[in-house]
Amino acid sequence: MTETAATRTADGREPTRVILRMEVYPELAADFERVWLSVGESIAREPANLGQLLVRSTEEEAVYYVLTDWAGERAFRDFEVSHRHTLHRQRLKPFRRGGDMAVTEVVHRLEPVSSGPPAA
């Protein structure tokens, strides 16, 4: 994926954004990242998936956030209950010690005004 998880849908609508907070066992963090990347590459092939990010907290040890954009909530919900996704969750389960999920919609988007250096 070459862009951040902020791609609009094919018809120009804002995507459904899923935010997953994952608490992993600290001693398994490197393995988690490796397995997540493999799972993420599989999810990236889903037609309704518009992009993903894995970010690591700088404030909490071994806490990650997964941000995924989908063509719509129905498309995400269909994927969420699919056999493919059940297999993904099984691969990641040994690393997880907790977490939660939020399904969201973008209300407002502000793009940068300039990509140049900040004004003095």
Side-chain angles (χ1 to χ4, degrees):
M1 181 175 84
T2 59
E3 297 182 13
T4 62
T7 307
R8 294 179 192 267
T9 63
D11 62 2
R13 291 180 298 120
E14 294 288 348
T16 295
R17 177 160 295 165
V18 178
I19 305 168
L20 177 61
R21 182 177 188 274
M22 298 181 76
E23 301 167 16
V24 305
Y25 295 103
E27 66 275 12
L28 300 178
D31 291 331
F32 163 75
E33 291 179 20
R34 181 183 46 76
V35 173
W36 183 89
L37 189 57
S38 172
V39 167
E41 288 169 348
S42 175
I43 293 171
R45 291 190 283 278
E46 295 289 329
N49 181 260
L50 302 176
Q52 310 167 69
L53 290 172
L54 175 66
V55 298
R56 181 178 49 237
S57 175
T58 60
E59 298 174 338
E60 298 177 275
E61 182 183 24
V63 171
Y64 293 83
Y65 294 89
V66 179
L67 296 93
T68 58
D69 286 349
W70 295 87
E73 185 170 353
R74 178 79 264 147
F76 166 69
R77 296 295 184 186
D78 289 346
F79 169 74
E80 181 183 30
V81 298
S82 70
H83 178 68
R84 296 178 312 280
H85 191 51
T86 298
L87 296 175
H88 296 148
R89 286 193 314 269
Q90 287 173 352
R91 289 186 62 201
L92 292 169
K93 186 176 180 176
F95 305 101
R96 293 183 68 174
R97 58 184 172 93
D100 52 53
M101 181 179 79
V103 179
T104 69
E105 60 185 20
V106 175
V107 177
H108 296 289
R109 175 192 302 272
L110 298 174
E111 300 294 341
V113 175
S114 169
S115 60

